[in-house]
Amino acid sequence: MNNPASMQDMVKHAFANMRGRLTPQAPLGPRTWFRVGGAAEWLFQPADAEDLAGVLQRLSPELPITALGACSNVIIRDGGLEGVVVRMARGFADITVEADGIIAGCACLDATVAEHAAQAGLSGLEFLAGIPGSIGGAVRMNAGAYGSDIANVLDWAEIITRDGSLIRLDNAALRFGYRRSGLPEGAFVIRARLRGIPANPQDVANRIAEVRAARELSQPVRARTGGSTFRNPDAETSSRKAWELIDAAGCRGLRCGDAQVSEKHCNFLINLGNATAADLEGLGEDVRTRVAQNSGVSLHWEIKRLGKTEASSQ
């Protein structure tokens, strides 16, 4: 927005009757798994779906708006985010267990949903234990691991569109693809129903333990990191996975400042302590360049990179 006074008026109008919390210039770095990034011009944490819908109905289409969840698969750039950042919290964390599935709020952690499924004796959702992040983000990007993904288990998702309308979309309407969905532009996932298959609770718990052990063995889960940095190429482009291409290009352990390509799993970037968002993104682009030069394959980012660089925020 070019006119700060106009921005203030728009925000004042849109949030006049909110029940949630609105914070100006809210630091986002501490909320992200990488622990990097600038501030949100405005951070809105709605009380519930009705609160969010009401604000969206009053919010000018001119005002930029960004949805953030657990911030596990995102790099917030050092210049922060303009406009309003919406972050779901307690009002979106309910879990309802049914005979053949689970209805989970968008703020529920994927691993928590897997645990509830195990307690209820529902199989088919164990893969969620290996995915960092929350259900809202998992639906948006069709998150997957260990042989399954959201597209395989989702019955429906409820969303709130940019104009504040509440809509339920079934699996087909979401047009899932590899690490993507067909959610309408600017839509917010509110909750989703995930199918489960009745099973012995101990068998489900054992499978979750196997998933967690495999993740601990192969990924830098105790470091400041996100999920997989790059999507795996499609089969027509390359038969090798992203990590194999990165390794073959000599990038394992590569550094830019305090940003490093993990030596444990080279499709993960790590903040060794004092990396900036620019360090992480620059390292990722360096990896992409080296892979392209070595194999001719162009890797595509899986991690979302949002906001302004520090230079552009001056």
Side-chain angles (χ1 to χ4, degrees):
M1 302 297 294
N2 295 324
N3 187 334
S6 176
M7 160 76 88
Q8 293 284 348
D9 290 342
M10 288 181 184
V11 169
K12 184 177 180 180
H13 168 72
F15 293 93
N17 298 313
M18 70 169 183
R19 290 177 289 108
R21 180 187 302 173
L22 182 67
T23 307
Q25 295 302 316
L28 294 176
R31 301 172 186 268
T32 73
W33 287 36
F34 276 117
R35 299 294 191 272
V36 299
E41 196 164 5
W42 299 92
L43 177 65
F44 177 44
Q45 295 170 279
D48 51 32
E50 183 181 3
D51 192 29
L52 174 59
V55 167
L56 290 174
Q57 287 166 4
R58 297 186 297 270
L59 198 63
S60 169
E62 298 177 48
L63 198 63
I65 188 164
T66 305
L68 287 182
C71 295
S72 60
N73 195 239
V74 66
I75 294 174
I76 303 294
R77 293 183 174 120
D78 299 309
L81 289 168
E82 291 182 310
V84 177
V85 172
V86 178
R87 190 160 191 265
M88 312 300 197
R90 295 179 184 175
F92 300 86
D94 290 343
I95 292 178
T96 302
V97 177
E98 299 183 336
D100 62 347
I102 285 180
I103 299 173
C106 61
C108 296
L109 293 179
D110 301 329
T112 301
V113 174
E115 290 164 3
H116 276 74
Q119 292 166 10
L122 291 172
S123 69
L125 302 179
E126 296 92 333
F127 73 98
L128 290 170
I131 301 176
S134 56
I135 290 298
V139 172
R140 178 170 293 279
M141 68 172 291
N142 187 22
Y146 302 99
S148 191
D149 60 18
I150 290 293
N152 283 327
V153 299
L154 184 135
D155 282 331
W156 51 257
E158 287 182 348
I159 68 169
I160 294 180
T161 59
R162 183 64 172 81
D163 65 2
S165 301
L166 179 65
I167 299 173
R168 179 176 290 186
L169 298 175
D170 64 16
N171 190 304
L174 284 162
R175 304 190 309 277
F176 286 117
Y178 176 64
R179 300 298 176 262
R180 62 176 177 80
S181 68
L183 279 170
E185 186 69 26
F188 295 81
V189 176
I190 301 304
R191 61 178 188 155
R193 188 185 194 280
L194 307 176
R195 289 189 308 280
I197 301 169
N200 182 293
Q202 189 57 54
D203 291 342
V204 180
N206 290 343
R207 174 56 183 155
I208 287 176
E210 292 172 1
V211 167
R212 286 178 168 157
R215 183 167 176 251
E216 178 83 29
L217 187 65
S218 64
Q219 299 176 12
V221 295
R222 302 187 185 280
R224 293 182 178 182
T225 186
S228 297
T229 306
F230 303 105
R231 288 180 285 168
N232 288 323
D234 58 50
E236 294 178 359
T237 302
S238 174
S239 61
R240 291 187 289 179
K241 293 184 177 181
W243 77 263
E244 295 174 301
L245 294 166
I246 294 167
D247 205 14
C251 297
R252 186 181 294 268
L254 187 67
R255 287 183 60 170
C256 174
D258 252 10
Q260 183 183 42
V261 175
S262 170
E263 295 183 351
K264 191 171 190 179
H265 190 313
C266 50
N267 197 21
F268 283 70
L269 300 182
I270 293 173
N271 177 1
L272 295 174
N274 296 304
T276 64
D279 291 336
L280 289 163
E281 188 170 7
L283 178 59
E285 288 298 325
D286 188 11
V287 168
R288 292 185 69 239
T289 297
R290 292 175 185 235
V291 167
Q293 291 173 342
N294 183 68
S295 65
V297 176
S298 178
L299 292 178
H300 297 282
W301 284 87
E302 183 169 320
I303 286 179
K304 304 299 182 185
R305 294 150 297 136
L306 305 173
K308 306 175 295 180
T309 63
E310 194 168 20
S312 66
S313 66
Q314 299 296 316

